[in-house]
């Protein structure tokens, strides 16, 4: 673990998570040194050889590499004491056949103690109890059973592994229990856990981390629980409880807010997630200074408005720049806060006036409470050139780049829009059915409501779709 990985196959079985990155320019975070991952999860040499989709952390191991060293000293002391008593006073069994190591009181006690120490150390390495008599073995088993387990908490590691590695480790645990593994593998002390902290399997005599008095109902101790929240962060999970956020903040305390966002965003880009906006989730507190937490709701709404605006520019061919210029009544190239709020409402993005009011409060106005076009485009991430719509047969008869003014609200619409984006009236000033909807015909007794084409009956009056008879199901 302490050695630098060389990039060769099998050379980096485990490495620290603070060295993990998916490409050369990916920002690394200062994760704790005891949080590791395996090379099967992500190999460092994969950087720069193309984009790879990230795996989700589902299984992990809690590993104590030196726990057997912490307990072997106490084990040797107990064995020396029992052997010394056995050699000096005997085991109490007249028919004992262990003449070499039972009741040999003749000689120097120091020599007896030295021999007992030699036998005890050899027994701890080979697990051979042939030097102990039957009563001594029973006494030894009782003493070792009551021996408190010790573990060096500074060397308690949490390792993210792949599912295949988790199955292999579980098989090794079963082989360890029946004693068919080599001696150096029988001393391993690990626990196989799921990401929620539940224990799947453990090695015999595994030493659990002591739980805190504050939350004794937790499945893990504080250190392991902190590492679990960090792995959930790597998994791009966004919903945490207040206690989990405190643990996550503790694990990321050495990483700046900017680095946290860059790391999380890059990992999110390499995963398939239904939700990509974190501004309105509890995770936003990890990316925001505590003194700005009261602005989280407004920033989340701003993130949603920017996303809706980008979608409207692509699908509805909305032109926010043209609307900005139209709302500039005095022609100075700037808008007041009231004009900006009205401009956002005219965009018809599906938000309430209260939401637009909260967003306007975040806008960086100048000393005259005005915002220019450049600041508007930068703040709302407006593209310089909106994407052009692919022309159909009707558009081919029109002049590319021309516009038309709505007779009802005077809004300047793109030539690609058959209806006004603000009042939804057609070029003639009358209501026209959009191409993605169907009209409930008034001549058939309908209510003239425009319904989505995915519906076969009117949402208002429950009249059947006019062309329903020609559709095949």
């Amino acid at each position: 673990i302490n050695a630098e990985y060389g990039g060769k196959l099998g050379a980096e079985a485990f490495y620290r998570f603070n060295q993990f990155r998916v490409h050369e320019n990916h920002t690394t975070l200062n994760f704790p040194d005891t949080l590791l991952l395996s090379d099967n999860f992500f190999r460092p040499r994969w950087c720069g050889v193309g984009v790879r989709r990230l795996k989700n952390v589902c299984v992990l191991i809690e590993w104590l590499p030196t726990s057997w060293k912490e307990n072997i000293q106490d084990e040797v002391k107990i064995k020396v004491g029992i052997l010394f008593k056995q050699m000096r006073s005997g085991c109490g069994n007249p028919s004992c056949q262990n003449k070499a190591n039972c009741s040999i009181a003749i000689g120097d006690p120091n020599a007896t103690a030295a021999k007992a120490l030699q036998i005890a150390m050899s027994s701890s390495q080979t697990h051979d109890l042939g030097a102990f008599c039957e009563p001594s073995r029973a006494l030894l088993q009782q003493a070792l059973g009551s021996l408190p387990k010790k573990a060096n908490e500074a060397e308690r590691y949490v390792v993210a592994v792949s599912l295949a590695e988790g199955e292999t480790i579980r098989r090794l645990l079963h082989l360890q229990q029946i004693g068919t593994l080599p001696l150096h593998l029988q001393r391993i002390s690990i626990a196989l856990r799921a990401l929620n902290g539940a224990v799947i399997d453990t090695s015999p005599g595994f030493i659990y981390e002591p739980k805190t008095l504050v939350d004794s109902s937790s499945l893990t101790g504080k250190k392991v629980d902190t590492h679990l929240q960090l792995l959930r962060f790597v998994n791009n999970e966004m919903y945490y409880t207040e206690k989990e956020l405190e643990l996550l903040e503790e694990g990321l305390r050495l990483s700046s807010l900017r680095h946290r966002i860059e790391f999380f965003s890059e990992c999110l880009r390499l995963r398939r997630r239904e939700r990509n906006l974190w501004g309105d989730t509890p995770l936003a507190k990890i990316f925001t200074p505590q003194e700005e937490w009261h602005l989280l709701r407004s920033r989340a709404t701003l993130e949603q408005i920017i996303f809706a605006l980008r979608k409207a520019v692509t699908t509805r061919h909305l032109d926010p720049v043209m609307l900005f210029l139209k709302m500039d009544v005095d022609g100075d190239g700037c808008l007041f806060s009231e004009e900006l709020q009205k401009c956002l409402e005219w965009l018809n993005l599906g938000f309430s006036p209260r939401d637009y009011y909260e967003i306007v409060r975040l806008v960086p106005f100048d000393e005259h409470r005005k915002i220019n076009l450049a600041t508007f485009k930068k703040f709302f991430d407006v593209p310089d050139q909106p994407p052009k719509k692919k022309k159909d047969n009707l558009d081919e008869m029109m002049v590319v780049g021309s516009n038309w003014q709505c007779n009802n609200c005077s809004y300047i619409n793109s030539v690609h829009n058959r209806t006004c984006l603000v009042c939804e009236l057609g070029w003639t000033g009358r209501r026209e059915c959009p191409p993605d909807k169907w009209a409930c015909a008034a001549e058939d007794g309908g209510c003239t409501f425009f319904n989505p084409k995915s519906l076969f009956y009117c949402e208002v009056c429950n009249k059947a779709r006019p062309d329903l008879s020609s559709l095949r199901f």
Side-chain angles (χ1 to χ4, degrees):
I1 297 174
N2 294 324
E4 291 291 335
Y5 49 84
K8 298 181 180 180
L9 181 61
E12 62 282 349
F14 299 112
Y15 63 99
R16 291 187 171 91
F17 240 113
N18 51 30
Q19 299 170 339
F20 166 72
R21 56 181 179 179
V22 295
H23 54 77
E24 294 295 335
N25 297 325
H26 188 197
T27 302
T28 58
L29 293 184
N30 291 324
F31 290 113
D33 289 339
T34 51
L35 184 63
L36 313 176
L37 74 157
S38 69
D39 68 331
N40 280 335
F41 186 83
F42 193 90
R43 296 178 180 173
R45 68 174 185 274
W46 287 345
C47 292
V49 294
V51 179
R52 285 178 176 266
R53 186 180 302 169
L54 281 180
K55 302 175 184 177
N56 290 329
V57 180
C58 301
V59 181
L60 53 100
I61 59 175
E62 185 180 347
W63 177 34
L64 291 169
T66 60
S67 63
W68 65 275
K69 295 181 180 179
E70 301 293 332
N71 300 288
I72 198 171
Q73 296 180 358
D74 294 335
E75 179 183 340
V76 169
K77 290 180 181 178
I78 292 176
K79 287 183 177 180
V80 168
I82 294 176
L83 279 173
F84 183 82
K85 181 179 179 181
Q86 174 184 300
M87 292 178 179
R88 300 297 296 180
S89 305
C91 64
N93 184 8
S95 60
C96 180
Q97 301 297 323
N98 189 12
K99 300 300 183 181
N101 300 308
C102 183
S103 187
I104 52 174
I106 302 175
D108 186 10
N110 293 331
T112 305
K115 183 177 180 180
L117 177 60
Q118 182 181 2
I119 295 175
M121 294 182 64
S122 177
S123 173
S124 297
Q125 294 176 358
T126 62
H127 294 274
D128 182 16
L129 301 179
F132 293 84
C133 302
E134 288 298 332
S136 298
R137 291 183 186 180
L139 185 62
L140 176 63
Q141 184 177 4
Q142 181 181 2
L144 293 180
S146 60
L147 185 67
K149 300 293 183 179
K150 298 180 181 179
N152 186 1
E153 294 298 332
E155 293 189 0
R156 184 181 294 272
Y157 293 91
V158 174
V159 188
V161 296
S162 63
L163 292 177
E165 289 175 319
E167 290 294 334
T168 303
I169 292 173
R170 192 175 189 185
R171 179 176 180 272
L172 292 175
L173 294 178
H174 292 173
L175 293 177
Q176 183 190 26
Q177 293 174 2
I178 62 178
T180 59
L181 288 179
L183 178 62
H184 67 283
L185 291 180
Q186 293 182 13
R187 291 174 173 172
I188 60 175
S189 179
I190 61 175
L192 192 64
R193 292 182 180 271
L195 188 58
N196 62 354
V199 177
I200 301 175
D201 211 340
T202 64
S203 59
F206 176 78
I207 307 171
Y208 291 92
E209 181 185 10
K211 298 180 180 179
T212 59
L213 298 177
V214 178
D215 188 9
S216 59
S217 62
S218 176
L219 297 175
T220 59
K222 182 178 179 181
K223 180 177 181 180
V224 176
D225 205 1
T226 301
H227 287 47
L228 292 179
Q229 305 312 318
L230 291 174
L231 293 178
R232 291 182 60 198
F233 179 81
V234 175
N235 270 3
N236 295 118
E237 296 189 21
M238 303 181 184
Y239 290 91
Y240 301 82
T241 63
E242 290 297 330
K243 178 179 178 298
E244 291 170 345
L245 283 176
E246 293 178 3
L247 295 172
L248 183 58
E249 179 66 34
E250 173 68 18
L252 297 174
R253 66 185 186 279
L254 299 179
S255 302
S256 65
L257 300 179
R258 181 175 63 86
H259 289 169
R260 297 177 188 179
I261 297 177
E262 292 176 356
F263 179 89
F264 186 86
S265 301
E266 189 61 30
C267 291
L268 185 62
R269 187 181 68 85
L270 299 178
R271 285 194 169 96
R272 286 184 176 179
R273 291 290 186 268
E274 294 183 359
R275 184 181 184 90
N276 294 313
L277 302 179
W278 49 263
D280 57 344
T281 66
L283 183 64
K285 292 184 177 181
I286 300 297
F287 300 141
T288 309
Q290 188 170 1
E291 59 271 13
E292 299 180 8
W293 281 2
H294 64 285
L295 300 175
L296 285 178
R297 183 185 179 279
S298 301
R299 290 181 176 177
T301 306
L302 174 62
E303 189 176 356
Q304 295 174 357
I305 287 179
I306 293 176
F307 179 79
L309 180 61
R310 191 181 302 116
K311 184 178 180 180
V313 170
T314 305
T315 58
R316 295 164 47 195
H317 302 279
L318 197 67
D319 193 352
V321 176
M322 185 175 297
L323 181 59
F324 180 94
L325 297 177
K326 178 177 176 57
M327 298 300 299
D328 183 17
V329 180
D330 53 3
D332 61 348
C334 299
L335 295 182
F336 288 101
S337 58
E338 297 81 3
E339 296 174 335
L340 177 60
Q341 182 173 348
K342 186 176 181 181
C343 176
L344 294 175
E345 293 176 359
W346 274 40
L347 289 173
N348 195 19
L349 299 177
F351 295 86
S352 66
R354 173 72 180 181
D355 294 332
Y356 294 128
Y357 171 76
E358 295 292 339
I359 295 305
V360 170
R361 294 176 59 186
L362 299 178
V363 174
F365 291 104
D366 58 14
E367 63 274 9
H368 303 293
R369 293 291 298 171
K370 289 185 176 183
I371 179 175
N372 55 33
L373 180 58
T375 306
F376 172 81
K377 293 173 63 177
K378 181 179 180 181
F379 185 79
F380 291 100
D381 195 17
V382 178
D384 295 331
Q385 294 182 351
K388 296 182 179 180
K389 180 180 178 182
K390 185 178 180 180
K391 297 185 293 182
D392 51 18
N393 295 333
L394 181 63
D395 297 330
E396 290 178 354
M397 299 182 298
M398 304 175 183
V399 181
V400 178
S402 60
N403 303 300
W404 61 277
Q405 185 176 13
C406 179
N407 295 330
N408 180 56
C409 64
S410 69
Y411 178 71
I412 304 298
N413 295 272
S414 172
V415 69
H416 303 290
N417 299 324
R418 293 184 174 85
T419 59
C420 179
L421 294 176
V422 178
C423 62
E424 295 187 346
L425 297 184
W427 295 351
T428 60
R430 301 179 181 179
R431 293 180 69 246
E432 295 186 10
C433 184
D436 58 339
K437 296 183 180 181
W438 60 273
C440 185
E443 54 269 20
D444 296 333
C447 62
T448 70
F449 182 72
F450 295 156
N451 297 274
K453 286 189 176 181
S454 59
L455 300 178
F456 298 106
Y457 294 91
C458 180
E459 289 183 320
V460 178
C461 63
N462 207 28
K463 285 284 185 179
R465 185 171 166 177
D467 58 345
L468 190 60
S469 59
S470 62
L471 294 177
R472 297 183 63 183
F473 296 93

